[in-house]
Amino acid sequence: MLPFAVQNVTQTIRLTTRLRVSSPIALTPIVSTPLIKQGDGIGTARRWSHSAKWRPVQVLDEWVAKEARPISLRQLMVFGRSLTESRLMSSANYVRTELPTRIAHRIRDMQRLPYVVVTNPHISDVYELYYTAFDSFRRIKEIKTSEDNDRLCKEISKMLHAHLTVIPKLAMGILECSDLISAAELDQFMNTILRSRISRRVIAEQHLALTETFHSHWFSPGAKLSEGEFIGEVFIKCIAKDVIEHCAKAIQDLARSANPPGTKIPEIRVSGHLDASFPYILSHLEYIVGELLRNSVQAVIEKHRRRSRDPAAEQPPPIDVTLCEAQQHVIIRISDQGGGIPHDILPYLWSFGKGPLKNQRLANLGRVPLMAATLQELRVEDGRLLALQQSAADKSGGGNGGSHDSSLSSLSTRPPNLRLGMGLPLSRVYAEYWAGSLELHSLEGYGVDAFLQISKLGNKNEQLTTRAAMDAV
């Protein structure tokens, strides 16, 4: 017979694993029962305790009853092209009501998780961050003056800074809970919550950038911006070739930093429709292209090191980037000769919570407390910020493009050689957010072809879940 206390804990774990909450009221615990989970393969036990304050949900219900209002890149451009004080106030009030609406739906999604999952300390911390932000923004009154808008911008900046912990906390929580809930459910939850996070940062950072533009000494209210500039965070004419070349240089610098001195770095060649352009959020494209190139460069280096008789003397095979411009979209193909994707990794390529390297990913994520999910937060050894946006802004002739630090990425850093195992699934979330796509084809023993498709016209709405999952029940 097991001791009574151990029996009690075991029964609690079994019960809470099966529990599905039918009403958010049911989540309010009468007592906080410690839950014990076996160690993650290293022989230790980890104690999980429920510390989240599950508030009364009547006020949350009122906001969940509202639907999020999706936007498109074209709407952002048209609205911000002729910026006036009246338009700035309209933007402020859209953000003031849209942020708590979108956050409320994601809080409700978290409340739908099994109780044993939401008691995980990382998931619980994210819940607390979300509820704090929701509670702050729902109390903000209508924005009528420039002073009101300045106070709103301070709240937005505070939220963006505080939420830099969300991605690593979510990723660690999901990995620790991967045995308690199906991989399909975890990945669906992560895709929904990360896409919603991107959407909130887009509208928040867009408003901050518009406010910054409006108060700039060079700006004349009502004056139209040219095609070579940014409208808020939207780069009006994003030339694919230029972005790829900037990312290629940054990734090659990272590879030199992460590998032994003298390591040969593969050349990155760009061909095809070199004039292809489209409106886009530059930091989104940089992140996707950066992650794809980073994987390709490292795979080529490692294969060349294994196969070549003299790796220091011979040049590794190049990485070819091909641009294809069609009427509705632009396709970027990245082809490498890095040997392809290992069989044991391939089934989990797009999963946040499963895979053979789970323990290693958990350890690595613990070293990245803040994560903006931008290429700019990756730093080489000498500490230089990879400010690709500033380069693009310089090409555009100044303006406001480089003055706003997108996603506060300068506050977060990632070692260049640290593998988190979430670059590809997060890149797909970014690609699909503006109705694009990301696919990989692995050629065993040879290499990988990655296909990134981007909507060329900017007229596709952001792809996000506008209602919480339980609203459909």
Side-chain angles (χ1 to χ4, degrees), residues 34-61:
L35 301 175
I36 298 176
K37 179 179 180 293
Q38 289 302 316
D40 48 11
I42 55 176
T44 60
R46 178 172 299 170
R47 183 174 294 273
W48 290 0
S49 63
H50 182 64
S51 60
K53 302 178 182 66
W54 296 94
R55 283 88 166 179
V57 296
Q58 181 177 355
V59 66
L60 186 66
D61 289 339

Side-chain angles (χ1 to χ4, degrees), residues 213-429:
T213 298
F214 188 80
H215 291 307
S216 297
H217 67 277
W218 53 267
F219 180 72
S220 176
K224 290 189 176 181
L225 299 176
S226 71
E227 279 196 351
E229 295 178 332
F230 287 77
I231 296 179
E233 288 292 308
V234 183
F235 195 16
I236 305 172
K237 193 173 183 180
C238 186
I239 300 174
K241 171 180 173 289
D242 291 348
V243 176
I244 290 165
E245 287 178 347
H246 283 305
C247 289
K249 184 179 184 308
I251 295 304
Q252 287 170 330
D253 287 344
L254 284 170
R256 291 186 185 95
S257 175
N259 288 280
T263 299
K264 294 287 186 179
I265 307 300
E267 179 189 2
I268 299 174
R269 306 184 301 195
V270 186
S271 62
H273 297 155
L274 302 182
D275 295 328
S277 66
F278 43 84
Y280 216 71
I281 304 287
L282 189 57
S283 61
H284 292 189
L285 183 60
E286 289 174 348
Y287 181 81
I288 301 168
V289 172
E291 285 293 332
L292 294 176
L293 288 177
R294 190 171 178 232
N295 288 340
S296 289
V297 166
Q298 195 58 38
V300 169
I301 289 173
E302 290 173 359
K303 182 185 177 185
H304 181 66
R305 190 179 292 148
R306 293 192 306 269
R307 300 285 180 88
S308 177
R309 294 179 179 177
D310 188 0
E314 299 176 18
Q315 186 66 25
I319 294 165
D320 290 311
V321 182
T322 309
L323 303 177
C324 174
E325 183 176 26
Q327 190 172 3
Q328 300 288 332
H329 54 257
V330 172
I331 295 176
I332 301 172
R333 183 184 69 182
I334 299 176
S335 303
D336 68 56
Q337 299 177 42
I341 299 167
H343 276 300
D344 60 334
I345 301 294
L346 199 56
Y348 310 104
L349 202 59
W350 306 109
S351 177
F352 287 97
K354 291 287 185 179
L357 303 177
K358 185 178 76 171
N359 294 334
Q360 181 184 330
R361 289 166 63 187
L362 264 172
N364 289 348
L365 282 163
R367 295 172 56 192
V368 187
L370 302 178
M371 185 174 174
T374 66
L375 183 64
Q376 286 83 3
E377 72 187 352
L378 287 165
R379 294 172 187 260
V380 292
E381 285 180 344
D382 62 3
R384 287 181 292 114
L385 182 65
L386 299 174
L388 305 184
Q389 276 188 303
Q390 185 61 56
S391 300
D394 292 341
K395 286 197 170 191
S396 73
N400 67 313
S403 58
H404 178 60
D405 188 11
S406 177
S407 290
L408 304 177
S409 53
S410 62
L411 299 175
S412 59
T413 60
R414 287 168 55 195
N417 58 345
L418 193 67
R419 313 299 288 181
L420 302 181
M422 59 186 301
L424 282 178
L426 190 53
S427 293
R428 177 176 269 187
V429 172

Side-chain angles (χ1 to χ4, degrees), residues 22 30 62 89 115 147 156 160 162 208 238 247 276 289 348:
S22 59
I30 298 173
E62 296 171 4
M89 296 305 109
Y115 184 72
E147 289 75 19
I156 292 172
L160 291 175
L208 289 180
C238 186
C247 289
V289 172
Y348 310 104

